């Protein structure tokens, strides 16, 4: 970019009133966290997107900073008065320090609005605000000055709204040109249409979108249509301008399309030339009899006719009346007839129009296409990408659970009582580290609570600490296909960046390697602490969870039993006893593990001063279980004190204390049986003496049920409390050993695993909710859901080279951890349909809320609260140039092992399905031989170890769709590789399932990938290249990227040139 130094110097010397903001700031350059020099005081003047830095107010400008392609980092601390300007170009950050916090905040706001992106956002907000104000004013003024009868009937705004189905686009139309006139007779035109909107209230021309470029014809038929989303302010009075351009250099035009002013014709060197334009009213198109307009294209002066444009109104899913229109194209010598015949969709629009789904998805972006089929018909495709509020909701819920769990664990460690000096010092160290980690979780949750703006994390923010729990670029990619002879179909893919701890980095690898290394090191620290295997520590956490869950339930059921006894209600007494017995038996069996007994002994040895009696032989489980069956009276129960500190420890003492709970329960059961038996006998006798007395329920004074049950229930609660105290302390001691053996690595690994799991869980919850809504009317799918579970297939595109190998290791562990997640569908009691998360790190339950009408459609098993299992599988195939390096000079064992392990999981799911589901349950499963063949083919491809074997991805995706699974596609940031994979999959589905014409496959693929079809967008408006957090994202699946596969010869040349450039740079 060229600048005129004299003009800039003149601008910097203007009077103070000419600047947007000016004042003193301390400024320096920053690389990483280190300042290159100490901050120096400068007089700063802000004008537009130019920041002038001057030594003093009257001096010349020493530096000019252009505030484009940059973003501001503002520190949340009340005492911090500095901000940092970060640049996408990679140049050093600019550190700015103000004199006070208010001054710092005002500079942050001014600098944030100074660039063109901030200005565009402000303009769009003002336009929307003006439209809303004008609509309100027009309605209010009309009702004020009109007679009351007319004012009451006038409820519409000044402009006529377009009738539409709720949650469907307001307007959709397709375009085609005929008889275009070229500048020279022999030239073949390469044309596209620029679509602009003239809002009736503003009379301002706004660029909206563009079609793809059609090459080599004067009668182009454009496959990309135009769609206006439900929230777009378009009315019948709105005018739409269509401008046709001839592209001379296709590659050059895709970059420069967005920078050309609307009122000027492009220069010849820009790469395209203006052909003609025309304008029409939306109302004319909507009200036209044939829902089609034929418009004349004219030059800019309005004199010369250069062709015609045909605009066809599109209504997906509705039966259109009218004659068949034939529009032909000679592209690729293929004649296609545009046949306007549709069949009604079967509930797809109804599924989209759901309040619970709208609570999850937001900011949808739609694209419309029409592609020819093999029988020369036309199918219509609506491609939609939407953000999800779950990107932030799920991590916040999860962090809140982590905080509660860690606070409970810290308290349990403090409640261990007096310990020997060695163990006490160990406990203090563990609690100190745990408190630091807890504080970090609380700070992260507080920062996420302050977040405003978009509901997804862009790729440029993946290294931010405050957002490390948030998934990267989590979106729904939906393709709605409407074929003339086939059923309408929906194809959903969740796209998300690979779940990984980007802020912590991958210098030492990912979770898969780190966990293995940590477990090996723990085994060698036995002299410092007691080693418990991961299975035992998981068991300890499970016991503690059961205690916290069952103890309050048993206590409440015991109170209900006493309440039923006080009311002298036999039926209620039986039901209360049944519930109490079930929960107490679960409670007793939770402690039948040898781990509790051994942990109690270990805890006793850790007390200050202990004497062990001769060890007793532990009784087997049969003897332990028999304690529940032999007890006649509560007087036989011997109460035990708490764990002894300075006395002899008897190992059999725990068996007696543990068995007392079962004996107490047997006493309660026996007493209830006697009371009911006496009540039955007395009722019979009273009925024989006086029949009317048998029907009269009065309180008997000869023996009050409550008084007889009360001491037994209290004894049961006391015995249970004693068991809880001992079990909690012993299991807390096991967790103390786990933490002490690996400080601080243990807590850091837990943090890393929580981060990765949070990102993976947010995507899983989004996928489950969308799949549930889509299959709500499919009884076969619902039966599969509660009988077998849901298959969740992740397609990974990460390489096994450098940092991406660490990302893949993180991703593999995070997806594997999703196996401990269960879903439960409940009926919503309010208008808040966001899911609720409960549980702990080893076991989570996601409660998905549905409105009453939708909840009634579910099978009885799901309505009764049956937990639904998830079966996540991951198949990864690296496809970029880094994978070429890994295959030639590195190691691909990680990818091969992951694919092989997950193939076994997939086979296990298929086996479970064939055993539990009837063969004819779902249409997909009627072809069992096909599924077996696909699985065998997938097995062979994994065993082949072929380089960049993308066949693995296609087979895994096909099997997932046939098994009614949820599809995920992931790469480093869910951008280039993800977009290439998703668009290729969509076109393959159209070819294989919907008879897409083979000659149009590449063209359809280009349409879906073309950035040209996005219209007038600045590069920084793209959420994948810019770092704006408040802009509505444009679809990342609509632009081309470089070829992903690099040949070996080009690779060698590239390496040599790179080395030469590096040597030249540092000489």
């Amino acid at each position: 970019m060229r600048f005129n130094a004299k003009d800039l110097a003149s601008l910097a010397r203007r009077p103070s009133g000419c600047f947007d903001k000016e004042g003193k700031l301390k400024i320096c350059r920053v690389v990483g966290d280190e300042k290159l020099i100490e901050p120096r005081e400068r007089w700063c003047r802000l004008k537009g997107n130019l920041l002038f830095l001057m030594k003093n107010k009257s001096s010349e400008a020493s530096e000019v900073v252009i505030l484009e392609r940059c973003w501001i980092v503002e520190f949340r601390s009340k005492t911090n008065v500095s901000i940092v300007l970060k640049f996408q170009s990679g140049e050093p950050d600019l550190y700015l320090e103000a004199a006070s916090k208010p001054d710092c905040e005002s500079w942050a706001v001014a600098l944030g609005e100074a660039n063109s992106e901030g200005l565009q956002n402000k303009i769009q907000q003002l336009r929307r605000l003006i439209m809303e104000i004008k609509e309100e004013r027009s309605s209010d003024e009309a009702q004020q000055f009109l007679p009351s009868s007319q004012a009451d009937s006038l409820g519409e705004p000044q402009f006529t709204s377009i009738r539409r189905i709720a949650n469907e686009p307001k307007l959709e139309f397709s375009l085609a040109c005929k008889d275009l006139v070229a500048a020279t007779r022999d030239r073949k035109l390469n044309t596209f249409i620029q679509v602009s909107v003239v809002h009736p209230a503003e009379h301002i021309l706004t660029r909206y979108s563009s079609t793809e470029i059609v090459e080599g014809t004067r009668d182009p038929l454009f496959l990309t249509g135009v769609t206006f989303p439900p929230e777009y302010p378009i009315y019948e009075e709105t005018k739409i301008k269509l401008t046709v351009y001839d592209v001379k250099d296709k590659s050059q035009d895709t970059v420069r399309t967005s920078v050309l002013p609307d009122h000027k014709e492009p220069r010849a060197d820009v790469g395209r030339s203006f052909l003609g334009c025309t304008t029409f009213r939306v109302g004319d198109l909507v009200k036209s009899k044939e829902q089609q307009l034929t418009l004349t294209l004219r030059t800019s002066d309005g004199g010369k006719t250069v062709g015609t444009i045909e605009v066809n109104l599109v209504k997906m899913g509705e039966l259109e009346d009218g004659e068949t229109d034939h529009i032909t194209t000679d592209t690729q010598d293929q004649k296609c007839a545009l046949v306007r015949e549709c069949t009604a969709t079967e509930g797809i629009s109804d599924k989209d129009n759901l309040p619970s789904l709208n609570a999850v998805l937001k900011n949808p972006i739609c694209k419309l296409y029409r592609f020819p089929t093999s029988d020369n018909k036309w199918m219509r495709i609506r491609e939609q990408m939407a953000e999800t509020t779950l990107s932030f909701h799920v991590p916040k819920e999860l962090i809140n659970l982590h905080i509660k769990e860690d606070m409970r664990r810290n308290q349990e460690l403090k409640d261990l009582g007096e310990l020997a000096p060695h163990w006490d010092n160990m406990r203090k160290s563990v609690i100190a580290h745990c408190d630091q980690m807890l504080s970090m979780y609380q700070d992260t949750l507080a920062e996420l609570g302050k977040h405003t703006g978009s509901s997804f994390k862009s790729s440029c923010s993946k290294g931010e600490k405050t957002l490390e729990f948030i998934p990267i670029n989590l979106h729904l990619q939906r393709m709605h296909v409407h074929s003339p002879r086939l059923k309408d179909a929906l194809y959903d893919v969740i796209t998300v960046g690979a779940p990984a701890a980007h802020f912590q980095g991958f210098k030492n690898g990912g979770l898969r390697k780190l966990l293995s290394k940590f477990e090996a090191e723990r085994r060698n620290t036995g002299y410092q602490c007691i080693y418990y295997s991961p299975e035992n520590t998981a068991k300890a956490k499970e016991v503690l969870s059961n205690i916290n869950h069952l103890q309050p339930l048993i206590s409440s059921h015991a109170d209900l039993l006493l309440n039923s006894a006080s009311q002298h209600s036999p039926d209620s007494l039986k039901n209360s006893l049944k519930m109490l017995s079930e929960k107490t038996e679960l409670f007793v069996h939770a402690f039948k593990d040898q781990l509790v007994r051994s942990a109690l002994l270990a805890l006793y040895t850790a007390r200050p001063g202990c004497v062990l009696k001769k060890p007793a032989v532990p009784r087997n489980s049969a003897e332990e279980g028999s304690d529940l069956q032999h007890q006649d009276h509560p007087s036989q129960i011997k109460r035990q004190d708490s764990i002894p500190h300075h006395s002899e420890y008897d190992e059999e003492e725990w068996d007696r204390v543990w068995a007392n709970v079962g004996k107490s329960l047997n006493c309660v059961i026996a007493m209830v049986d006697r009371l009911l038996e006496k009540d039955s006998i007395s009722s019979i006798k009273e009925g024989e003496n006086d029949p009317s007395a048998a029907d009269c329920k009065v309180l008997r004074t000869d023996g009050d049920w409550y008084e007889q049950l009360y001491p037994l229930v209290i004894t049961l609660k006391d015995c249970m409390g004693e068991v809880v105290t001992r079990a909690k302390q012993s299991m807390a001691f096991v967790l103390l050993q786990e933490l002490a053996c690996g400080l601080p690595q243990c807590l850091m690994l837990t943090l890393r695993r929580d981060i990765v799991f949070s990102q993976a869980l947010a995507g899983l919850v989004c996928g489950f909710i969308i799949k549930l809504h889509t299959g709500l009317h499919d009884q076969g799918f619902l039966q599969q859901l509660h009988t077998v579970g849901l298959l969740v297939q992740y397609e990974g595109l990460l390489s096994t080279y450098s940092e991406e190998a660490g990302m893949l290791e993180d991703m593999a562990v995070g997806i594997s951890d999703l196996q401990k997640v269960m879903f439960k569908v409940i009926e919503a009691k309010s208008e808040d349909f966001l899911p609720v998360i409960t549980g702990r790190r080893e076991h989570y339950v996601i409660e998905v809320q549905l409105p009453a009408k939708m909840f009634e459609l579910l099978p009885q098993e799901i309505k009764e609260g049956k937990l639904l299992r998830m079966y996540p599988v991951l198949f990864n195939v690296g496809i970029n140039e880094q994978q070429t390096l890994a295959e030639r000079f590195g190691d691909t064992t990680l990818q091969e092992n992951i694919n092989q392990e997950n193939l076994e999981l997939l086979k296990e799911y298929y086996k479970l399905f064939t055993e539990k589901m009837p063969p004819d349950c779902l249409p997909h499963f009627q072809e069992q031989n096909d599924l077996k063949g696909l699985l065998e083919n997938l097995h062979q491809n994994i065993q082949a170890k072929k380089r960049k074997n993308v066949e693995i991805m296609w087979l895994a995706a096909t099997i997932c769709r046939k098994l009614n699974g949820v599809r995920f596609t992931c790469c480093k940031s869910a951008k280039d590789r993800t977009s290439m994979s998703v668009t290729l999959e969509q076109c393959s589905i159209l070819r294989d399932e919907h008879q897409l014409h083979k000659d149009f496959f590449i063209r359809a693929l280009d349409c879906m990938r073309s950035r040209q079809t996005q219209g007038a967008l600045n590069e920084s408006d793209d959420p994948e290249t810019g770092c704006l957090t408040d802009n509505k994202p444009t679809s990342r699946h609509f632009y081309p990227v470089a070829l992903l596969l690099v040949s070996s010869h080009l690779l060698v040349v590239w390496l040599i040139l790179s080395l030469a450039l590096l040597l030249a740079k540092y000489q």
Side-chain angles (χ1 to χ4, degrees):
M1 186 178 294
R2 296 180 180 178
F3 299 98
N4 190 316
K6 293 182 179 179
D7 291 342
L8 288 176
S10 175
L11 178 62
R13 290 193 299 268
R14 288 188 177 182
S16 298
C18 299
F19 295 94
D20 302 328
K21 186 173 180 62
E22 62 179 331
K24 289 183 179 180
L25 291 174
K26 290 184 178 180
I27 295 176
C28 70
R29 291 286 181 175
V30 180
V31 176
D33 295 329
E34 298 182 2
K35 300 174 183 176
L36 298 181
I37 59 172
E38 286 299 316
R40 297 180 180 179
E41 190 174 88
R42 290 288 184 265
W43 184 263
C44 301
R45 286 182 162 181
L46 179 64
K47 180 63 176 178
N49 62 349
L50 300 177
L51 178 63
F52 296 95
L53 308 182
M54 312 162 69
K55 290 185 178 180
N56 53 62
K57 192 173 182 179
S58 58
S59 66
E60 297 288 336
S62 58
E63 186 178 354
V64 181
V65 180
I66 303 173
L67 302 176
E68 296 293 342
R69 306 289 297 279
C70 63
W71 69 97
I72 297 173
V73 177
E74 182 179 2
F75 299 96
R76 302 284 185 180
S77 173
K78 295 182 180 179
T79 59
N80 203 317
V81 293
S82 61
I83 56 179
V84 175
L85 273 175
K86 292 182 175 291
F87 300 89
Q88 288 186 13
S89 60
E91 62 181 288
D93 302 339
L94 186 65
Y95 173 87
L96 301 95
E97 183 178 328
S100 63
K101 188 63 177 178
D103 193 24
C104 176
E105 293 175 351
S106 65
W107 271 105
V109 172
L111 293 172
E113 296 177 352
N115 55 17
S116 58
E117 292 86 354
L119 185 61
Q120 289 176 0
N121 291 339
K122 203 168 184 179
I123 292 173
Q124 292 297 331
Q125 292 175 1
L126 290 173
R127 283 177 177 172
R128 286 194 293 267
L129 185 61
I130 290 171
M131 291 294 293
E132 293 173 0
I133 293 174
K134 286 185 176 181
E135 290 178 4
E136 292 176 359
R137 283 183 178 178
S138 61
S139 177
D140 294 341
E141 291 174 359
Q143 293 183 0
Q144 180 178 359
F145 295 104
L146 288 176
S148 58
S149 60
Q150 297 183 20
D152 293 338
S153 62
L154 186 60
E156 296 292 327
Q158 180 180 357
F159 305 112
T160 308
S161 299
I162 300 174
R163 294 182 180 180
R164 62 179 182 87
I165 303 173
N167 287 337
E168 289 289 307
K170 278 189 176 180
L171 178 68
E172 293 180 315
F173 56 85
S174 58
L175 298 168
C177 294
K178 280 188 175 182
D179 303 325
L180 295 179
V181 178
T184 59
R185 179 177 300 180
D186 297 333
R187 172 167 172 76
K188 288 189 175 182
L189 297 175
N190 303 324
T191 53
F192 76 94
I193 300 178
Q194 174 76 55
V195 182
S196 305
V197 178
V198 183
H199 296 283
E202 303 170 350
H203 301 289
I204 297 175
L205 190 67
T206 305
R207 290 192 171 185
Y208 184 74
S209 67
S210 298
T211 66
E212 81 280 10
I213 298 175
V214 179
E215 301 179 8
T217 178
R218 297 173 184 263
D219 300 320
L221 188 146
F222 299 98
L223 303 183
T224 304
V226 181
T227 179
F228 292 88
E231 69 276 6
Y232 194 87
I234 188 169
Y235 306 95
E236 290 188 6
E237 292 79 9
T238 302
K239 292 182 179 180
I240 295 179
K241 179 182 179 182
L242 305 176
T243 308
V244 182
Y245 292 99
D246 175 25
V247 178
K248 298 179 180 178
D249 186 349
K250 182 178 178 180
S251 60
Q252 188 179 20
D253 185 77
T254 57
V255 178
R256 300 193 179 184
T257 299
S258 61
V259 299
L260 190 70
D262 279 301
H263 61 279
K264 293 183 179 180
E265 293 187 12
R267 302 187 311 270
D269 60 349
V270 170
R272 66 177 186 178
S273 60
F274 174 84
L275 287 183
C277 63
T278 186
T279 304
F280 69 93
R281 290 176 68 255
V282 171
D284 296 338
L285 176 62
V286 174
K287 295 179 180 179
S288 62
K289 184 177 181 181
E290 297 181 354
Q291 297 186 334
Q292 174 182 320
L293 296 177
T294 301
L295 308 171
T296 301
L297 278 173
R298 297 185 182 276
T299 55
S300 56
D301 57 4
K304 185 179 178 183
T305 300
V306 293
T308 60
I309 292 184
E310 293 189 0
V311 184
N312 292 276
L313 188 66
V314 174
K315 294 183 179 179
M316 286 189 67
E318 294 185 7
L319 185 62
E320 297 184 8
D321 299 325
E323 297 179 359
T324 300
D325 297 329
H326 294 273
I327 300 177
T328 59
T329 173
D330 56 2
T331 303
Q332 300 181 7
D333 299 325
Q334 178 63 40
K335 301 288 184 177
C336 296
L338 175 59
V339 183
R340 298 170 56 202
E341 53 181 56
C342 305
T343 58
T345 58
E346 298 187 3
I348 289 179
S349 298
D350 294 335
K351 294 191 189 79
D352 288 343
N353 187 20
L354 296 171
S356 56
L357 194 57
N358 293 338
V360 173
L361 300 178
K362 63 182 299 186
N363 294 339
I365 298 174
C366 294
K367 297 297 297 180
L368 181 68
Y369 308 101
R370 53 175 178 176
F371 298 139
T373 61
S374 56
D375 56 353
N376 292 340
K377 304 293 184 181
W378 286 93
M379 59 179 166
R380 295 169 183 167
I381 295 91
R382 181 186 296 151
E383 191 181 23
Q384 174 185 336
M385 188 185 75
E387 305 169 17
T388 172
T389 56
L390 299 176
S391 292
F392 283 82
H393 173 75
V394 170
K396 287 193 287 187
E397 289 271 307
L398 206 55
I399 295 173
N400 193 33
L401 283 179
H402 293 333
I403 292 173
K404 293 178 180 178
E405 182 180 349
D406 292 348
M407 292 178 67
R408 193 163 52 242
R409 178 197 59 198
N410 291 358
Q411 187 59 45
E412 289 165 354
L413 293 176
K414 294 175 183 178
D415 293 341
L416 274 175
E418 189 178 0
L419 297 174
H422 168 72
W423 299 107
D424 192 49
N425 292 333
M426 181 185 294
R427 174 173 59 176
K428 290 178 181 178
S429 176
V430 167
I431 291 177
H433 281 87
C434 289
D435 285 341
Q436 291 179 4
M437 195 63 62
L438 182 62
S439 176
M440 191 279 298
Y441 279 101
Q442 291 171 336
D443 293 343
T444 301
L445 184 61
E447 289 298 320
L448 290 179
K450 300 175 185 177
H451 176 81
T452 58
S454 64
S455 56
F456 76 100
K457 182 175 80 172
S458 61
S459 60
C460 63
S461 303
K462 60 176 172 283
E464 293 186 17
K465 179 174 176 54
T466 56
L467 299 178
E468 58 185 345
F469 284 85
I470 311 300
I472 302 172
N473 280 332
L474 177 59
H475 289 83
L476 164 68
Q477 183 78 14
R478 167 169 287 183
M479 182 174 68
H480 175 191
V481 183
H482 177 75
S483 301
R485 297 183 180 178
L486 300 174
K487 270 187 178 181
D488 280 19
L490 288 179
Y491 298 94
D492 293 336
V493 178
I494 308 297
T495 59
V496 63
H502 292 275
F503 177 78
Q504 297 189 18
F506 309 96
K507 183 178 180 181
N508 299 316
L511 275 173
R512 192 176 172 105
K513 180 186 295 183
L514 293 173
L515 289 173
S516 176
K517 181 179 179 182
F518 173 73
E519 187 60 30
E521 292 175 350
R522 274 190 62 201
R523 295 177 183 272
N524 300 325
T525 56
Y527 64 93
Q528 296 177 354
C529 56
I530 303 172
Y531 173 77
Y532 289 97
S533 66
E535 294 76 15
N536 282 333
T537 55
K539 180 66 177 178
K541 294 175 183 177
E542 183 181 354
V543 170
L544 287 172
S545 177
N546 289 334
I547 291 173
N548 295 327
H549 174 67
L550 291 174
Q551 186 184 13
L553 286 179
I554 294 173
S555 181
S556 63
H557 287 310
D559 293 338
L560 289 175
L561 181 71
L562 292 177
N563 186 47
S564 300
S566 65
Q567 296 177 0
H568 211 280
S569 172
D571 293 336
S572 178
L573 192 67
K574 290 179 183 178
N575 292 333
S576 299
L577 179 62
K578 180 182 178 182
M579 297 300 297
L580 178 64
S581 300
E582 291 177 355
K583 299 302 178 184
T584 306
E585 288 179 6
L586 289 175
F587 179 83
V588 171
H589 285 291
F591 305 107
K592 289 181 65 175
D593 197 280
Q594 180 67 27
L595 176 65
V596 181
R597 185 180 293 105
S598 62
L600 277 170
L601 177 59
L603 176 61
Y604 175 71
T605 60
R607 299 294 186 189
C610 65
V611 180
L612 293 178
K613 288 178 64 177
K614 184 179 179 180
V617 179
R619 295 179 296 170
N620 57 34
S621 59
E623 292 174 343
E624 292 170 351
S626 65
D627 289 335
L628 293 175
Q629 309 298 330
H630 303 287
Q631 181 63 29
D632 296 331
H633 197 271
S635 62
Q636 298 181 15
I637 300 175
K638 182 179 179 181
R639 299 293 306 281
Q640 305 292 338
D641 297 327
S642 60
I643 295 176
H645 286 222
H646 298 280
S647 61
E648 295 183 349
Y649 177 71
D650 185 2
E651 287 193 55
E652 293 186 354
E653 185 180 10
W654 164 249
D655 296 328
R656 293 191 292 270
V657 173
W658 169 74
N660 282 344
V661 178
K663 295 176 181 179
S664 299
L665 176 63
N666 287 337
C667 293
V668 173
I669 294 173
M671 179 58 70
V672 171
D673 290 342
R674 283 198 292 269
L675 292 176
L676 293 175
E677 183 179 357
K678 289 180 180 179
D679 181 73
S680 177
I681 294 174
S682 61
S683 297
I684 294 174
K685 290 181 178 180
E686 290 177 3
E688 293 175 353
N689 298 331
D690 184 5
S692 62
D695 300 329
C696 182
K697 294 184 178 179
V698 294
L699 186 64
R700 290 158 175 76
T701 58
D702 56 346
D704 188 7
W705 289 4
Y706 181 86
E707 292 179 356
Q708 297 183 56
L709 281 175
Y710 180 77
L712 301 180
V713 172
I714 294 300
T715 301
L716 174 63
K717 287 185 176 181
D718 290 344
C719 293
M720 184 178 63
E722 191 171 359
V723 170
V724 166
T725 301
R726 293 170 182 262
K728 270 192 172 182
Q729 288 185 343
S730 64
M731 296 299 98
F733 189 71
V734 173
L735 298 184
L736 175 63
Q737 309 308 309
E738 179 199 26
L739 294 170
C741 286
L743 283 179
Q745 292 87 349
C746 178
L747 293 177
M748 293 307 298
L749 280 177
T750 301
L751 170 63
R752 189 183 189 103
R753 199 163 187 170
D754 288 344
I755 291 170
V756 174
F757 179 76
S758 172
Q759 298 177 26
L761 183 64
L764 176 65
V765 175
C766 176
F768 177 85
I769 292 176
I770 292 168
K771 186 65 179 179
L772 180 63
H773 283 77
T774 305
L776 201 60
H777 298 276
D778 189 341
Q779 294 303 315
F781 165 72
L782 295 176
Q783 182 183 353
Q784 175 193 358
L785 187 61
H786 71 79
T787 305
V788 184
L790 183 64
L791 178 65
V792 184
Q793 186 252 327
Y794 288 81
E795 176 185 295
L797 303 171
L798 294 172
S799 69
T800 54
Y801 182 80
S802 187
E803 285 191 347
E804 289 197 8
M807 296 177 201
L808 181 57
E809 290 180 347
D810 275 359
M811 183 180 179
V813 174
I815 291 174
S816 177
D817 285 346
L818 294 177
Q819 297 179 35
K820 58 191 177 187
V821 177
M822 309 282 278
F823 280 82
K824 181 180 179 181
V825 184
I826 62 175
E827 183 178 351
K829 303 300 182 183
S830 65
E831 295 300 320
D832 184 10
F833 298 107
L834 290 175
V836 179
I837 306 177
T838 58
R840 54 185 174 83
R841 281 188 175 90
E842 301 300 324
H843 177 71
Y844 291 100
V845 176
I846 316 296
E847 296 182 351
V848 177
Q849 305 184 76
L850 290 182
K853 292 183 179 179
M854 296 174 60
F855 188 75
E856 290 301 320
L857 300 174
L858 297 174
Q860 191 62 32
E861 293 85 353
I862 298 181
K863 288 195 286 188
E864 291 175 354
K866 183 175 181 179
L867 296 180
L868 311 174
R869 289 198 60 185
M870 300 294 109
Y871 292 86
V873 294
L874 165 65
F875 294 96
N876 186 86
V877 177
I879 59 174
N880 63 351
E881 67 278 3
Q882 287 189 335
Q883 184 63 21
T884 304
L885 293 174
E887 290 173 346
R888 292 189 175 275
F889 311 113
D891 185 14
T892 60
T893 306
L894 173 63
Q895 175 176 286
E896 295 166 4
N897 291 341
I898 289 175
N899 289 344
Q900 186 61 46
E901 293 167 7
N902 286 272
L903 174 63
E904 298 303 319
L905 294 175
L906 182 58
K907 288 181 177 179
E908 181 182 336
Y909 178 84
Y910 175 69
K911 179 181 178 182
L912 190 64
F913 171 81
T914 54
E915 292 174 352
K916 292 189 175 183
M917 295 291 291
D920 57 346
C921 178
L922 298 176
H924 286 310
F925 302 119
Q926 293 176 0
E927 303 174 359
Q928 294 293 332
N929 293 331
D930 290 347
L931 271 173
K932 289 180 180 179
L934 289 171
L935 281 169
E936 183 60 31
N937 197 359
L938 179 61
H939 175 78
Q940 292 174 0
N941 276 274
I942 291 176
Q943 293 296 326
K945 299 181 181 180
K946 179 183 174 183
R947 291 179 180 177
K948 295 184 179 179
N949 189 1
V950 294
E951 190 70 18
I952 293 175
M953 296 190 296
W954 312 143
L955 291 169
T958 304
I959 293 171
C960 176
R961 284 194 298 270
K962 287 184 176 292
L963 287 172
N964 268 342
V966 179
R967 285 268 298 114
F968 284 80
T969 299
C970 312
C971 66
K972 180 178 179 180
S973 301
K975 296 192 306 184
D976 297 346
R977 282 170 279 180
T978 298
S979 65
M980 299 292 280
S981 175
V982 170
T983 50
L984 181 58
E985 179 182 355
Q986 289 179 167
C987 288
S988 299
I989 291 173
L990 294 177
R991 177 193 62 197
D992 300 335
E993 304 292 338
H994 297 275
Q995 302 175 358
L996 173 66
H997 199 288
K998 61 180 181 179
D999 293 337
F1000 280 79
F1001 181 87
I1002 298 299
R1003 188 174 167 192
L1005 193 60
D1006 289 341
C1007 286
M1008 290 184 174
R1009 291 177 175 176
S1010 174
R1011 184 174 176 84
Q1012 175 77 11
T1013 60
Q1014 294 185 65
L1017 296 174
N1018 291 327
E1019 186 178 355
S1020 55
D1021 289 335
D1022 194 330
E1024 308 310 329
T1025 56
C1027 295
L1028 304 179
T1029 57
D1030 296 327
N1031 283 0
K1032 184 175 177 181
T1034 53
S1035 175
R1036 64 186 181 282
H1037 297 324
F1038 302 141
Y1039 61 93
V1041 295
L1043 292 177
L1044 300 177
L1045 306 179
V1046 180
S1047 70
S1048 58
H1049 300 291
L1050 289 177
L1051 179 62
V1052 172
V1053 173
W1054 174 74
L1055 289 172
I1056 295 173
L1057 291 176
S1058 299
L1059 182 60
L1061 288 173
L1062 286 173
L1063 292 174
K1065 181 178 180 181
Y1066 292 104
Q1067 280 182 351

